[in-house]
Amino acid sequence: MSKNKNNQPIWSTRIKKDSTNLYKKIGGSLSIDKRLFNEDIEASIVHVEMLFKQKIISFKIKNKIVWGLNRIKNEIVKKKFVYDEKLEDIHMNIEKRLFDIIGEEAGYIHTARSRNDQVITDFKIWLRKANNEIIKNLDMTINNIIKKANKNVETIMPGFTHLKNAQAVSFAHYLLAYVEMFTRDKKRFNSNLDSLNENPLGVAALTGTSFKIDRFYTTKKLKFKNPTKNSIDTVSDRDFVIDFLYSCSACAIHISRIAEEFIIWNSDAFKLISLNDKIVTGSSIMPQKKNPDPLEYLRGKTGIIFGNLFSMLTILKGLPAYLQTAKIVNFAEKNKKKLSELSIEEINRIEKKLTNDVLKVFDLKNSIRSKSSYGGTSFENIKKMIISYKKNKK
Amino acid sequence: MSKNKNNQPIWSTRIKKDSTNLYKKIGGSLSIDKRLFNEDIEASIVHVEMLFKQKIISFKIKNKIVWGLNRIKNEIVKKKFVYDEKLEDIHMNIEKRLFDIIGEEAGYIHTARSRNDQVITDFKIWLRKANNEIIKNLDMTINNIIKKANKNVETIMPGFTHLKNAQAVSFAHYLLAYVEMFTRDKKRFNSNLDSLNENPLGVAALTGTSFKIDRFYTTKKLKFKNPTKNSIDTVSDRDFVIDFLYSCSACAIHISRIAEEFIIWNSDAFKLISLNDKIVTGSSIMPQKKNPDPLEYLRGKTGIIFGNLFSMLTILKGLPAYLQTAKIVNFAEKNKKKLSELSIEEINRIEKKLTNDVLKVFDLKNSIRSKSSYGGTSFENIKKMIISYKKNKK
Amino acid sequence: MSKNKNNQPIWSTRIKKDSTNLYKKIGGSLSIDKRLFNEDIEASIVHVEMLFKQKIISFKIKNKIVWGLNRIKNEIVKKKFVYDEKLEDIHMNIEKRLFDIIGEEAGYIHTARSRNDQVITDFKIWLRKANNEIIKNLDMTINNIIKKANKNVETIMPGFTHLKNAQAVSFAHYLLAYVEMFTRDKKRFNSNLDSLNENPLGVAALTGTSFKIDRFYTTKKLKFKNPTKNSIDTVSDRDFVIDFLYSCSACAIHISRIAEEFIIWNSDAFKLISLNDKIVTGSSIMPQKKNPDPLEYLRGKTGIIFGNLFSMLTILKGLPAYLQTAKIVNFAEKNKKKLSELSIEEINRIEKKLTNDVLKVFDLKNSIRSKSSYGGTSFENIKKMIISYKKNKK
Amino acid sequence: MSKNKNNQPIWSTRIKKDSTNLYKKIGGSLSIDKRLFNEDIEASIVHVEMLFKQKIISFKIKNKIVWGLNRIKNEIVKKKFVYDEKLEDIHMNIEKRLFDIIGEEAGYIHTARSRNDQVITDFKIWLRKANNEIIKNLDMTINNIIKKANKNVETIMPGFTHLKNAQAVSFAHYLLAYVEMFTRDKKRFNSNLDSLNENPLGVAALTGTSFKIDRFYTTKKLKFKNPTKNSIDTVSDRDFVIDFLYSCSACAIHISRIAEEFIIWNSDAFKLISLNDKIVTGSSIMPQKKNPDPLEYLRGKTGIIFGNLFSMLTILKGLPAYLQTAKIVNFAEKNKKKLSELSIEEINRIEKKLTNDVLKVFDLKNSIRSKSSYGGTSFENIKKMIISYKKNKK
């Protein structure tokens, strides 16, 4: 088992053998988060490069890790990587493989980084990419609609309101209504970028870290715009997920609507438009019969998207960030001490990740003072942040 | 029955006597839209002032209508207004009363305006007000949190992550996490204003109008920023409603979370905080027992808000803007004519609202050309709009 | 307890003295639960009649209360009752009025009954009535469809599947498909009755009561079938609410579907059916134009119903029945005692509702033994229940 | 290309080459419906055995098909089957392979069966199995709880209501509350079986079939209880899907609740219970620290289940069974004929599946008369069904 420089094991299967089966069934996410492999490796490489730049790890160790991670990436891309379902998720799979390849020094990828900021960083990078692809697709769609509108300014069609009679309208006018809709959709996805461009890496488990990391360096290298500003908010924030799912839901309503209108207008009863063969499907039994199946599926997908939004809303509503509050309180009570009187040994029993570097942290205030990484809980950080909040009156 | 200058009846109960009961049960919205009375009267007054400015109605008629509407407003405010549930909604109630007060000329409030743009305008003004009040409340909350944080920079509390041990954090740091959350919420509500500040008034039923109205005048008077740009989009757009409900849902998650954390930290087991008597409720049986009921209720409201969002998404998903397409197509087919060959009499049978002013509209192209109000379907409008879309590459 | 540098408790609320208003806004339910007045009065009368039958209260007191409650019912029916919004809900309003009318003896309506079982009982009676009305309406609808089908066995119409061609079908066959659907709906509502017919009255706050009440008497008088079997389940169970909302949602899909099909088939393009004037609405402007507005509204209501179901699911998901667990544990710890060693005085400080009748309850075991009302937590009850569960293997 | 005995092509890729990519992306379901392979093969075998029994196909053909299908099953089980993603779903994959193995006679599996009843049958068998497994698990759970309760009749714990003080309760009483909840859940899943035990096979595309099939035979062999009674209802009914998803949602609330209570009671602050090592996960870093991760995941799953329910509700709400109504109406109108006057050639152009066996079907009435399979649209069937509905007054 790998140890870190404090002679503690670095990683371990958190799953006890006895519980493996039950846990695997309900807890494993490997089949889903597999697709994050690229983001996970990219962020780990940038992280160790920063650790080296900040003189937290050596040149040799940094190189070893980067070489190992690139090799793993290659294995995955070439489909030679063997996934181990017992290792819960993609992050554990990559870590275990790195340990197999380069040995104990693999553990250094967890210096000044926790599973919390690692996973959120990977997921944000991935979601930012998806979000940007959607923006690009909306742009293309909008441009295509404008071109089509340009050719149909004087094409006349009946326009209808819910309970009113028909009025003649220009087909271009109808099409440009969708430019308005997809432009609003694009605005939502663009707006999502504000959050998606804030870098979570470096907030560690919750409070920031006492290592002298450089969050602006990783921000630049991972193409974020700013580091996130508050470590507590960062580890619990999932707004960027529901914002994305909501943006998809609103857009899906518009797509579903144009799909439905095109299905009806393409039907033999209405014959207002004639769909291109590329989006209808015929059959050799009835070659003359052309069903707009892909449009039907577009309509159907909307329900799935709504469902995902509501799953996530329900999950967020139920998250108990507080549950374990009990533990430290209980620990203090049992020891008849106020929290602020806990000895470093006692704190160590609670917070096993404290490193030798913080042996000088002899009380809680010093512990907090030490969390001076950007966004961390150090008193100085907070004072600066309050001044900045007041100035921005944001 | 009132007639407009084209000698057509202006308003009427759309409800046949036989169906009154069934309809009232499932279709009436008076009990809910009552609260829009102020917005409805305000928008009607601005509308007729614009009609007068544009020389579409006379000074005398304008004055009569404005006087009548102000009197109705006064009656409602003083609770002397008698609502008639048979008249479906608040708009019909006000119209009917105006007719009682000033007679037939009440009908002129529908010149160059349809029920479609009227209702959407009222609702947008109302929602903009609600949206702005929420922004103000979020601002106050954020400022209060910052003040409280300022006094608690060196107050230490245990911080917890989902599956990790506790770490000491500054209470100010915890509080400032909520500044981040509520700031994101505020950003969403601010973002809603882009749509809420676009004026729907003047798109008429669907296509714009041939009257020479001035949408920029009503925009300014009703404190919108711009008129909406596409009449078809305007009458069917409800994005501003789901945007608002989603913003409320995301904000409710944060409120629910802080409420839950305060409930637990205030409990006898944790005793980390002590809630002010003003937000706990005791009872005369157990005066020493203080339940944080208001916080409990805040948690509970979240479900209601999610439900509203889901209702609206489902409703929008199912809207058939297209259903009546059938009618005009059928009419043309029965008469063995192409749509563009319909005579004005035939068009009139379909579109009863065509006025004497458009008698010169002898074919569909001219009809479309006549809809030259901003955002309307006239060919010139559309050409300008395409140029503008291309320029903005928005 | 942590203090900040000003030696003050770290958090106090910003809600000012007049918290009544805030509370009323978010906590009051009077406007909604008003309609339960009948059920509340009915259940209270049955309850005190049972108390008298069991010799728990005197003939005189019972009569006074019944007289007072009937007078209140009369006041409400005749719209002479003055609601006080400060009194949160309908139950408090009725209690307060009873106290005004008959004085202190009004308090006896709470003997052997808590707010918990009172509210659930009222709500179940009300929901059972709504559920039964729906069953009756479904029955009528099914019968009407069968009659209509009977007259249309040989009426031919085109039948359609999603992506297949049309086939000739009997209109009766189409109609009978809805008999199948509404019969499934009816089955769901009938199934709801199993839970709606279990009487919650008598489980008191949580554990049952030591008074010798007769839950079978109140069950019979309130037309339930059985008393509920487990007091803990009874006070937290809301399955009967989501079952009802789900049944409405499934039924709404069928209603929405037939409404949509009738709208389309009634349209000028299809003209397959001709809707009765009673469910279309015309206007004096366009008397020939008949919109099936009521059908449109039926379609729209489905979203509202889905939203209600989702609200309730979210609320139930978040309910913390456990939150106050902290209190008694804390109480015991502070007093260095195991729970079972608490003195009666100490228990009394926790459970203020213990009456003189239970002074003999000198330890927790006796306390539990005393809760021998049907469904209560007494050891004997539980042993019997386990035997019964095993026998029913249900 | 394969032909059936009526010299028509039997199967074909419904997807045009040009549209393959778009369609595959949004329309393919192979990755999901793969797991239905067993049900699909089982139902096909029973179907051809019935066809042979009814003398619709020969002994030789039946044997060939059964042999082919068993071979395919074997290939899939042994993971030697090569899936072709271009073939949309599992049903197409199996059909294509059967054609490769036994040649043109593979087409006979579609005699008197359409894709509609085939897919619904497979899915119902699969869902019935899942439903039954859940019932078995609930039974086991209930029994285990009763056993645990039996051992804890006199174990005392604090019981809590939402806003009331704690009261002593028997731990067995607390546990038995979950027996009540899971028994209600079991009742819902049992209730689902009524629909899941109705056999859809034999309703063909929509109207039943003119082949003399025996739906009671396939019902018995596939272990259903009855054939469905109305072919139109059968092809559009998805109630059994939402019933299942709702049952899961209600059950998930209870599971989530017990998981949450156990997490809290297991925490160091409360220490009311001590979870078995099998459901906690520790780590080699902190062996003493045991997180109830599996319980946490159980809580989290509830949101996913709610999301699935709402996806399906939204999808059902939007289904247009009606869309293609237009086609036949248009066909008739173009040909200036009433529907009932269409010639057999014209009908054939609409309904390509009419076989030589029904050449005697010279008008629509005869066509309907011919659909005499149980649940089909023949007049005789309908008359009998009306009598049966009336008798059952169901």
Side-chain angles (χ1 to χ4, degrees), chain B residues 348-388:
Chain B
N348 263 325
R349 248 178 289 152
I350 300 168
E351 169 50 290
K352 289 293 168 190
K353 291 202 167 169
L354 294 177
T355 65
N356 290 333
D357 284 353
V358 289
L359 271 185
K360 58 195 168 195
V361 182
F362 62 94
D363 71 9
L364 287 173
K365 288 211 173 182
N366 273 348
S367 161
I368 289 181
R369 265 181 208 113
S370 75
K371 302 298 169 58
S372 60
S373 58
Y374 186 84
T377 193
S378 80
F379 305 130
E380 280 316 301
N381 271 357
I382 293 167
K383 284 173 192 163
K384 278 185 210 156
M385 204 53 78
I386 288 174
I387 291 166
S388 138

Side-chain angles (χ1 to χ4, degrees), chain D residues 128-189:
Chain D
R128 187 180 57 185
K129 202 185 295 176
N131 196 78
N132 282 332
E133 270 173 38
I134 293 174
I135 291 173
K136 222 160 63 183
N137 280 318
L138 282 170
D139 260 335
M140 267 176 41
T141 306
I142 289 169
N143 285 334
N144 285 333
I145 295 176
I146 292 174
K147 270 185 214 161
K148 186 64 84 183
N150 208 14
K151 291 183 187 155
N152 286 282
V153 173
E154 304 209 5
T155 308
I156 296 175
M157 64 173 279
F160 304 86
T161 60
H162 191 42
L163 298 168
K164 302 285 173 185
N165 281 328
Q167 303 187 15
V169 294
S170 159
F171 185 52
H173 198 56
Y174 163 79
L175 287 173
L176 294 177
Y178 281 96
V179 170
E180 290 290 324
M181 289 178 234
F182 291 131
T183 301
R184 280 196 295 274
D185 294 335
K186 201 182 125 186
K187 191 186 143 234
R188 276 187 212 93
F189 286 104

Side-chain angles (χ1 to χ4, degrees), chain C residues 139-205:
Chain C
D139 260 335
M140 266 176 42
T141 306
I142 289 169
N143 285 335
N144 285 332
I145 294 176
I146 293 174
K147 269 185 216 161
K148 186 65 83 182
N150 209 13
K151 290 183 189 155
N152 286 281
V153 173
E154 305 210 4
T155 309
I156 297 175
M157 64 174 279
F160 304 88
T161 60
H162 192 43
L163 298 168
K164 302 285 175 186
N165 281 328
Q167 303 187 13
V169 295
S170 159
F171 185 53
H173 197 56
Y174 163 80
L175 288 174
L176 294 178
Y178 280 95
V179 170
E180 291 289 323
M181 289 179 233
F182 291 132
T183 301
R184 282 194 296 273
D185 293 336
K186 202 183 125 186
K187 191 186 143 232
R188 278 187 210 93
F189 286 104
N190 268 322
S191 194
N192 294 342
L193 289 174
D194 290 354
S195 287
L196 290 174
N197 276 325
E198 293 193 331
N199 177 19
L201 193 60
V203 300

Side-chain angles (χ1 to χ4, degrees), chain C residues 116 142 146 149-150 153-154 156-170 172-174 176-177 179-181 183-188 191 194-195 205-207 229-233 236-237 239 242-243 246 250 253-254 256-257 260-261 264-265 269-270 272 299 302 306 309-310 313-314 316-317 320-322 324-326 328-329 339 350-351 353 364-365 368-369 371 375-377 379 382-383 385-386 389-390 393-394, chain D residues 14 116 142 146 149-150 153-154 156-170 172-174 176-177 179-181 183-184 186-188 191 194-195 205-207 229-233 236-237 239 242-243 246 250 253-254 256-257 260-261 264-265 269-270 272 299 302 306 309-310 313-314 316-317 320-322 324-326 328-329 333 339 350-351 353 364-365 368-369 371 375-377 379 382-383 386 389-390 393-394:
Chain C
N116 285 353
I142 289 169
I146 293 174
N150 209 13
V153 173
E154 305 210 4
I156 297 175
M157 64 174 279
F160 304 88
T161 60
H162 192 43
L163 298 168
K164 302 285 175 186
N165 281 328
Q167 303 187 13
V169 295
S170 159
H173 197 56
Y174 163 80
L176 294 178
V179 170
E180 291 289 323
M181 289 179 233
T183 301
R184 282 194 296 273
D185 293 336
K186 202 183 125 186
K187 191 186 143 232
R188 278 187 210 93
S191 194
D194 290 354
S195 287
L206 179 73
T207 58
K229 291 195 283 279
N230 184 297
S231 59
I232 293 178
D233 177 53
S236 61
D237 173 31
D239 281 16
I242 52 169
D243 283 344
Y246 170 68
I253 292 175
H254 302 144
S256 176
R257 178 176 152 189
E260 186 154 340
E261 289 175 345
I264 302 204
W265 294 353
F270 297 99
L272 288 171
R299 292 177 67 248
T302 314
F306 288 5
L309 173 60
F310 194 76
L313 286 174
T314 311
L316 287 185
K317 174 70 174 60
Y322 62 81
Q324 310 206 355
T325 311
I328 199 165
V329 173
L339 208 58
I350 299 168
E351 169 49 293
K353 292 201 167 169
L364 284 174
K365 289 212 175 181
I368 289 181
R369 268 183 206 111
K371 303 296 171 57
T377 193
F379 305 131
I382 293 167
K383 285 172 191 163
M385 204 53 78
I386 288 174
Y389 283 131
K390 283 182 177 170
K393 277 186 194 298
K394 69 165 187 171
Chain D
R14 285 164 50 221
N116 285 354
I142 289 169
I146 292 174
N150 208 14
V153 173
E154 304 209 5
I156 296 175
M157 64 173 279
F160 304 86
T161 60
H162 191 42
L163 298 168
K164 302 285 173 185
N165 281 328
Q167 303 187 15
V169 294
S170 159
H173 198 56
Y174 163 79
L176 294 177
V179 170
E180 290 290 324
M181 289 178 234
T183 301
R184 280 196 295 274
K186 201 182 125 186
K187 191 186 143 234
R188 276 187 212 93
S191 194
D194 290 354
S195 286
L206 178 72
T207 58
K229 290 197 283 280
N230 183 298
S231 59
I232 292 178
D233 178 52
S236 61
D237 172 31
D239 280 16
I242 54 171
D243 283 344
Y246 170 69
I253 292 175
H254 302 145
S256 176
R257 178 176 153 189
E260 186 153 341
E261 289 175 347
I264 303 205
W265 294 354
F270 296 99
L272 287 172
R299 291 177 67 249
T302 314
F306 287 4
L309 173 60
F310 279 89
L313 286 174
T314 311
L316 286 186
K317 175 71 173 59
Y322 62 80
Q324 311 203 356
T325 311
I328 199 166
V329 173
E333 277 188 8
L339 208 58
I350 300 168
E351 169 49 292
K353 293 202 165 167
L364 286 174
K365 288 210 174 181
I368 289 181
R369 267 182 207 113
K371 303 297 170 58
T377 193
F379 304 131
I382 294 167
K383 284 173 192 164
I386 289 174
Y389 283 131
K390 282 183 177 171
K393 278 184 193 296
K394 68 165 187 170

Side-chain angles (χ1 to χ4, degrees), chain D residues 35-50:
Chain D
R35 64 185 94 174
L36 291 177
F37 81 93
N38 220 2
E39 287 75 11
D40 192 61
I41 288 172
E42 182 192 1
S44 286
I45 289 176
V46 168
H47 180 63
V48 294
E49 282 172 345
M50 181 277 289

Side-chain angles (χ1 to χ4, degrees), chain D residues 37-38 41 68-78:
Chain D
F37 81 93
N38 220 2
I41 288 172
L69 288 171
N70 278 325
R71 187 170 143 184
I72 292 170
K73 187 175 169 181
N74 201 39
E75 288 173 358
I76 295 177
V77 169
K78 297 205 167 153

